[in-house]
Amino acid sequence: MRTFHLTNFGCRASQADGAGLQRQLNEAGLREVGGVDNSDIAVLNTCTVTAAADAEVRQVIRRIHRANPRCRILVTGCYAQRAPQEIAPLDGVHWVIGNSHKHRVAEVLRTESGSPAGACNAQVMVGEIDSEFHFAPAPAGDRTRPTLKVQDGCDARCAFCVIPAVRGRSRSLSPDRVISEVQNLERQGYKEVILSGINLGSYGRDLGRSINFRGLVEQILGETAISRLRISSIEPMDVSPELITLAARDKRLADHFHVPLQSGSDRILRLMNRRYWTSQYAERILAIREMLPHAAIGADVMAGFPDETRQDFEGTIGFVERLPFTYLHIFPYSARPGTPAAGRPEQIGGRIAHERVRELRELIAKKHRAFLESQIGRSISALTLAEGAPSAGVSSRTSRAGLSSNYLPVSVEGFALPPNVFLDVQVGRVHGGLLFGSARQMNQAVA
C-alpha cells in the first residue's frame, strides 16, 4: 500500500478542502503517515493569498525533496491554480493540480499517472473553474471541531485579492446536503461544527435566492441537534440585524463574529473596492457588542496598501481603538499578479508596512488582554480539545485545554477529562493568554 502525507496551507476553507482530500486518498487505498521521511507521496494543499504564502510552499517543496528524494510531490490548491509554471520545474514535483481538478486528485494517484521518478517535467492539470460545487466531506477522526465548507468562490472584486481568479464564482452547497452533513457529523459524536466558505455571506445567491446564509443557519439550528455552530468569517454587509439577533437568541450559535475590515480609512476602502464605509462597518460591530456583550469580535486588517498615507493609517489605528475588537488578523499588503492594486504606482515600502503591522499588533494585544480579564468571575461554556496541553507551563498531567464559545483558550483541572466534552468553567484568573478556572461537565451542550 502506497503512503502519503498531506500538508494544508491557508484559510479554513482550504483546511476543509484538505480534510476532504485526506478522506479521498484514504478511500482510494493510500495509507496516511505522520511525516514525509517515509512517505511515497507528499500532497501540498496550497494558499496564494500573499507572496509569503507562495514562498512558504516553495520552501516546503525543497525541504521535502532534500529529506526524501524518492518522495513524489503533488501540489494542489490555490497556488497551483494561479501559477503552475512556477511550481512544475521544482525538483521533486510530479503533479501540479489546480482547484479546477482538485476533486480528481485521488483518481490521479490511484491510476499512478504523473511523471516517472527522476523526470524533469511534472504533469500539470489546471483549467477553468466550473460552476459545480465539488464537495468532499471531512473524515472522522480525533479532531473535535470539524470544518464544513458550504460555499466556495467569490463574486467580489477587491483590488488586492487574487482569490476570485483561483476559486471561481460563488457556489453553494445545497441546503439539504448541508443539513445531511451536519447530521452525519453529529452522529459521529462531534459537538461543534464550523461553517466556512470563501465569501460565506454570499451563500445561496446562486440557488435562485431561495435561501440566504442566515436562513441556512436557522435551518441547521432547527433541523439538527448539533450542540454548537460557529461561523468562520463573514463580510460586514452580510452581518444583518437578523443574524445578530439569531446569535443572541440561540446559544447554540457561538458567541463569535469574525468580520473582515481591511482598513479604517474610507479613502483606502474605496481604493480597495470594498463595498462599505467605516460608518456602516462600525454600526454592525457595535450592534454585535450591544446584543452579545461578551462575544469575540475579530477582523482582518491590512497595512501598507498602495497609497496608504500616514493619515490613512492613523485612521485605521483610531478606528480599531474605538471599536470593541477582541483580536485581529493583521497582514502587510502583498502585491498579487494580475490584481488592480499590483499595478498601482504608489506602492508602500515593506519596512513601512511591517512597522504599521507592529503598531497594530501592539494595540490589539492590549485590547485582547482586557477582554481576557473581563472574563474573570464569569461562568463560560468551553469544549475540551484533542490538541495536547495549554501553554504557560501547565502540565498535561493536570490540565485539559478547551475553547470557549467566545473563542478564548481555557485551561481546566482534570487529567481524566477526554476531548469533545462541554464544560461549565468558572474563570478564576488569566495568565499567558489563557483563562484558568474550575469546571464541571455540563448535562447540556450550552446553557
Side-chain angles (χ1 to χ4, degrees):
M1 180 182 292
R2 287 180 302 158
T3 59
F4 76 95
H5 178 73
L6 173 67
T7 303
N8 288 307
F9 302 81
C11 65
R12 281 204 176 274
S14 182
Q15 301 294 317
D17 288 342
L21 280 171
Q22 181 185 29
R23 179 166 181 162
Q24 288 180 39
L25 295 172
N26 284 322
E27 291 178 348
L30 281 78
R31 178 171 61 87
E32 187 172 12
V33 294
V36 298
D37 289 351
N38 298 308
S39 178
D40 299 317
I41 299 166
V43 179
L44 307 184
N45 181 36
T46 64
C47 171
T48 193
V49 73
T50 63
D54 295 345
E56 182 184 8
V57 171
R58 295 192 298 270
Q59 183 181 41
V60 169
I61 290 171
R62 289 190 288 267
R63 187 185 306 137
I64 292 172
H65 187 62
R66 284 196 304 268
N68 184 3
R70 70 175 182 81
C71 181
R72 296 183 176 191
I73 301 171
L74 185 152
V75 184
T76 188
C78 291
Y79 186 22
Q81 181 71 28
R82 186 187 69 79
Q85 73 283 355
E86 294 180 11
I87 304 168
L90 298 178
D91 289 342
V93 174
H94 288 259
W95 300 270
V96 182
I97 302 180
N99 285 329
S100 57
H101 291 75
K102 184 186 284 186
H103 58 290
R104 294 183 56 191
V105 165
E107 173 191 338
V108 168
L109 294 183
R110 187 170 54 242
T111 57
E112 299 248 18
S113 58
S115 56
C120 297
N121 297 318
Q123 178 182 354
V124 176
M125 298 176 66
V126 177
E128 294 294 322
I129 306 289
D130 64 31
S131 60
E132 184 178 351
F133 188 105
H134 293 291
F135 173 77
D142 61 357
R143 291 173 60 91
T144 54
R145 304 168 56 243
T147 298
L148 178 61
K149 190 178 77 171
V150 301
Q151 184 274 337
D152 203 350
C154 185
D155 295 337
R157 289 294 182 266
C158 297
F160 54 82
C161 187
V162 73
I163 296 304
V166 298
R167 287 277 185 173
R169 295 189 63 82
S170 180
R171 307 176 304 285
S172 307
L173 187 63
S174 72
D176 290 345
R177 185 67 187 275
V178 174
I179 297 299
S180 174
E181 292 301 327
V182 173
Q183 290 172 337
N184 183 50
L185 290 168
E186 180 193 342
R187 283 192 296 270
Q188 294 177 36
Y190 292 106
K191 304 291 179 61
E192 177 176 318
V193 172
I194 305 165
L195 296 182
S196 77
I198 298 300
N199 187 352
L200 200 51
S202 68
Y203 177 88
R205 293 174 191 170
D206 59 319
L207 302 177
R209 295 188 180 268
S210 57
I211 189 170
N212 60 15
F213 180 66
R214 176 182 58 82
L216 177 69
V217 173
E218 287 182 323
Q219 191 171 342
I220 295 170
L221 294 172
E223 298 183 19
T224 78
I226 195 70
S227 299
R228 177 169 291 154
L229 193 66
R230 191 178 298 270
I231 299 170
S232 60
S233 178
I234 185 168
E235 289 291 315
M237 300 313 292
D238 296 314
V239 182
S240 65
E242 293 81 8
L243 183 61
I244 299 170
T245 299
L246 178 61
R249 184 180 72 236
D250 195 323
K251 294 304 179 184
R252 293 163 60 203
L253 193 56
D255 223 9
H256 177 197
F257 279 86
H258 186 96
V259 188
L261 169 62
Q262 306 306 350
S263 175
S265 160
D266 282 332
R267 189 180 77 88
I268 296 300
L269 289 177
R270 296 284 72 74
L271 293 178
M272 289 178 166
N273 199 29
R274 299 289 285 172
R275 300 180 179 183
Y276 50 86
W277 301 101
T278 53
S279 58
Q280 295 171 310
Y281 185 98
E283 178 184 9
R284 283 153 175 77
I285 298 301
L286 294 173
I288 293 169
R289 178 56 74 231
E290 180 179 1
M291 296 287 288
L292 297 157
H294 292 281
I297 303 176
D300 301 325
V301 179
M302 183 182 299
F305 185 80
D307 201 28
E308 180 188 68
T309 65
R310 182 67 200 183
Q311 183 178 0
D312 292 321
F313 179 68
E314 290 292 345
T316 296
I317 287 283
F319 192 73
V320 169
E321 195 162 24
R322 290 192 300 274
L323 288 183
F325 293 112
T326 64
Y327 71 93
L328 295 177
H329 293 162
I330 306 166
F331 309 92
Y333 167 75
S334 179
R336 298 285 71 203
T339 61
R344 292 186 63 87
E346 312 89 348
Q347 300 291 318
I348 303 296
R351 183 186 62 79
I352 294 174
H354 282 87
E355 175 62 23
R356 291 175 182 178
V357 167
R358 184 191 62 78
E359 289 184 55
L360 282 165
R361 286 178 176 163
E362 289 178 356
L363 172 59
I364 198 59
K366 295 175 185 176
K367 294 173 77 71
H368 183 66
R369 283 195 298 271
F371 183 58
L372 284 166
E373 290 167 0
S374 74
Q375 305 302 298
I376 295 175
R378 292 191 67 225
S379 178
I380 62 175
S381 168
L383 182 69
T384 59
L385 303 176
E387 296 85 5
S391 57
V394 179
S395 169
S396 62
R397 298 184 62 81
T398 60
S399 67
R400 165 64 72 179
L403 187 73
S404 68
S405 175
N406 60 347
Y407 204 54
L408 292 174
V410 179
S411 176
V412 295
E413 297 299 317
F415 172 69
L417 288 171
N420 204 36
V421 173
F422 272 109
L423 300 174
D424 182 12
V425 180
Q426 186 70 32
V427 179
R429 64 187 178 95
V430 174
H431 181 70
L434 284 169
L435 301 179
F436 288 80
S438 57
R440 63 180 178 84
Q441 186 170 340
M442 300 174 67
N443 293 325
Q444 301 294 328
V446 289

